[in-house]
């Protein structure tokens, strides 16, 4: 499953914006306040709508009036449209999920929710889920593509007016597209790594299957891999040896008082040392590798400004790791301010955000003739960005 496009209307500073033909590795640049974090928060907002309801998702962001774009009539709607590619009945299909949220008697409601895709090569997309204001229908025999439209079985249902229909329907595998979308939203991961939270000894009890958003369970996840997926852990150590000069080994150690620490071995020293004395960059690179070599990877991974605490030469290596993760089936969104990271990107992978009259617009590097021409001549993306060829991307 891969997200192909995102269209936003009246969602914070995105008055009317679309990002099309999204690659598996999508790199976003732009000035502070241009909307990079907001773009990533689309997935967080949808996940909160799914986990709780629309009202609570809005409340977590200050309420409807704080989420809808400035200077927009409050009677208008917030609209989010995701298009994603997935295999259904042996054929890759382009599925569209559309969500419209508005106010009714000052309460947020789902005005419209649609999940649609084409059943065959030709014709208009078919609405397999279609709800409005809490009432709607869903096709229950979704895979019977050989049947005529009037032979498909449609079930009428009602949900709370501030709840998503895919919340319930997505629990059932027979609703293929809804089930896949729900899994994507439930398992997406945004990395907000904090060095100070990742260091030091940790209790041995806690979440150990996946690295947390902040990385505060790094030792637990490393130990889980060390004990239950030793081949993966050895691969991570091997990559560390290649990516970070001087590191020859990493091992999770249980201390005498029953806590867990990471112990690093420097090839120039006979005595290992615990993570408290390891550089910020070394810890962060190890954490990213633990995240990227997860045996059960996230279908969607968002990373903001991975360059922080990393030596510039490591950023090319990190970009390669992100691309490898994406090529194996995941999808990665990265925001960055670093020319060194951008130098490792390809023309098709880079977008930039600009603010025009208080609204954010999305541009793509490959659509700019000048940038494309320079790249064809062998220039690197980071140098072009640093020299101002991404028009409007810098501070105004």
């Amino acid at each position: 499953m891969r997200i192909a496009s995102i269209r936003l209307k009246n969602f914070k500073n995105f008055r009317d914006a679309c990002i099309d033909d999204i690659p598996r590795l999508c790199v976003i640049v732009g000035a502070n306040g241009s909307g990079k974090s907001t773009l990533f928060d689309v997935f967080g907002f949808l996940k909160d709508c799914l986990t709780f309801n629309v009202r609570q998702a809005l409340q977590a962001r200050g309420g409807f009036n704080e989420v809808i774009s400035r200077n927009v009539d409050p009677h208008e709607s917030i609209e989010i449209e995701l298009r994603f590619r997935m295999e259904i009945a042996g054929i890759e299909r382009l599925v569209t999920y559309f969500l419209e949220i508005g106010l009714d008697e000052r309460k947020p409601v789902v005005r419209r929710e649609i999940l649609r895709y084409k059943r065959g090569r030709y014709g208009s997309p078919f609405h397999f889920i279609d709800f409005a204001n809490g009432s709607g229908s869903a096709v229950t025999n979704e895979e019977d593509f050989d049947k005529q439209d009037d032979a498909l079985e449609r079930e009428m249902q009602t949900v709370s007016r501030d709840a998503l229909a895919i919340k319930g329907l997505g629990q059932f595998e027979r609703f293929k597209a809804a089930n896949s979308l729900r899994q994507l939203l439930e398992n997406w991961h945004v990395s907000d790594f904090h060095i100070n939270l990742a260091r030091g000894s940790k209790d041995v009890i806690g979440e150990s299957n996946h690295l947390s958003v902040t990385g505060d369970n790094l030792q637990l996840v490393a130990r889980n891999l060390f004990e239950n997926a030793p081949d993966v852990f050895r691969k991570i150590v091997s990559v560390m040896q290649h990516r970070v000069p001087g590191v020859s080994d990493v091992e999770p150690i249980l201390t005498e008082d029953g806590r867990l620490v990471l112990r690093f071995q420097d090839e120039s020293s006979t005595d290992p040392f615990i993570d408290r004395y390891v550089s910020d960059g070394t810890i962060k690179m190890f954490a990213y590798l633990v995240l990227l070599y997860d045996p059960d990877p996230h279908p969607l991974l968002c990373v903001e400004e991975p360059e922080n605490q990393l030596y510039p030469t490591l950023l090319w290596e990190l970009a390669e790791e992100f691309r490898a993760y994406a090529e194996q089936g995941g999808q990665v969104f990265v925001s960055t301010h670093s020319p060194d990271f951008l130098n490792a990107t390809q023309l098709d992978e880079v977008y930039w955000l600009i603010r025009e009259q208080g609204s954010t617009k999305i541009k793509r590097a490959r659509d700019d003739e000048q940038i494309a021409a320079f790249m064809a001549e062998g220039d690197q993306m980071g140098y072009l960005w640093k020299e101002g060829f991404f028009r409007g991307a810098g501070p105004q």
Side-chain angles (χ1 to χ4, degrees), residues 54-204:
V54 168
R55 177 181 56 81
Q56 289 176 282
L58 290 168
Q59 283 181 341
R61 291 157 179 82
F64 181 86
N65 291 332
E66 290 298 319
V67 176
I68 195 168
S69 301
R70 301 290 184 185
N71 301 318
V72 168
D73 190 314
H75 293 95
E76 290 196 36
S77 301
I78 298 167
E79 295 182 10
I80 299 173
E81 181 181 276
L82 297 182
R83 301 173 76 199
F84 54 95
R85 298 188 180 278
M86 62 170 291
E87 185 176 298
I88 301 175
I91 300 175
E92 185 182 77
R93 303 179 189 277
L94 183 62
V95 181
T96 299
Y97 177 70
F98 172 77
L99 178 65
E100 179 185 359
I101 298 170
L103 289 181
D104 185 9
E105 296 181 350
R106 295 187 295 182
K107 295 180 180 179
V109 298
V110 178
R111 288 180 173 170
R112 195 76 186 274
E113 183 181 10
I114 299 171
L115 192 66
R116 64 178 186 265
Y117 58 90
K118 290 183 179 180
R119 297 171 61 198
R121 185 180 300 272
Y122 306 104
S124 300
F126 190 83
H127 291 202
F128 285 84
I129 295 176
D130 194 339
F131 277 72
N133 296 303
S135 299
S137 63
V139 172
T140 57
N141 54 339
E142 190 173 335
E143 290 191 320
D144 291 343
F145 290 95
D146 56 334
K147 291 188 176 182
Q148 297 296 320
D149 290 356
D150 56 5
L152 290 175
E153 299 170 7
R154 187 171 289 277
E155 182 179 293
M156 302 302 296
Q157 295 186 1
T158 60
V159 297
S160 173
R161 297 180 69 199
D162 64 352
L164 300 186
I166 63 167
K167 179 174 184 176
L169 298 174
Q171 299 179 68
F172 304 102
E173 290 191 5
R174 71 177 187 271
F175 299 106
K176 298 295 182 183
N179 180 263
S180 294
L181 178 60
R182 177 176 177 137
Q183 290 186 44
L184 172 76
L185 296 176
E186 287 181 335
N187 294 293
W188 86 296
H189 180 89
V190 58
S191 176
D192 185 20
F193 187 77
H194 291 270
I195 293 290
N196 60 317
L197 297 180
R199 290 187 186 279
S201 62
K202 307 290 182 181
D203 291 330
V204 295

Side-chain angles (χ1 to χ4, degrees), residues 178-313:
N179 180 263
S180 294
L181 178 60
R182 177 176 177 137
Q183 290 186 44
L184 172 76
L185 296 176
E186 287 181 335
N187 294 293
W188 86 296
H189 180 89
V190 58
S191 176
D192 185 20
F193 187 77
H194 291 270
I195 293 290
N196 60 317
L197 297 180
R199 290 187 186 279
S201 62
K202 307 290 182 181
D203 291 330
V204 295
I205 303 299
E207 166 59 35
S208 62
N209 290 325
H210 300 287
L211 192 68
S212 68
V213 169
T214 62
D216 62 350
N217 64 339
L218 176 61
Q219 293 80 354
L220 280 73
V221 178
R223 185 193 188 199
N224 184 34
L225 292 173
F226 181 79
E227 295 179 343
N228 300 309
D231 292 343
V232 174
F233 190 83
R234 284 194 295 270
K235 175 63 176 177
I236 292 172
V237 173
S238 175
V239 174
M240 281 290 291
Q241 293 168 350
H242 174 67
R243 304 296 196 200
V244 184
V247 173
S248 60
D249 198 12
V250 186
E251 186 177 0
I253 298 296
L254 192 64
T255 64
E256 292 182 357
D257 61 352
R259 293 174 67 81
L260 197 62
V261 297
L262 289 175
R263 187 171 69 186
F264 288 76
Q265 179 70 54
D266 191 310
E267 60 186 14
S268 63
S269 174
T270 57
D271 297 323
F273 44 91
I274 61 175
D275 57 47
R276 182 183 303 171
Y277 306 108
V278 175
S279 71
D280 289 352
T282 298
I283 287 285
K284 191 167 188 179
M285 179 59 87
F286 180 72
Y288 277 143
L289 292 176
V290 167
L291 176 65
L292 294 171
Y293 284 83
D294 191 325
D296 184 20
H298 300 281
L300 178 64
L301 179 64
C302 296
V303 182
E304 294 196 65
E305 300 177 16
E307 63 267 20
N308 295 336
Q309 293 96 29
L310 286 182
Y311 194 70
T313 56

Side-chain angles (χ1 to χ4, degrees), residues 22-27 292 299-303 321-323 325-326 330-334:
I22 302 175
R24 286 206 170 273
L25 174 59
C26 178
V27 181
L292 294 171
L300 178 64
L301 179 64
C302 296
V303 182
E321 295 294 344
F322 284 142
R323 188 174 293 112
Y325 181 94
Q331 193 167 15
V332 182
F333 285 73
V334 178

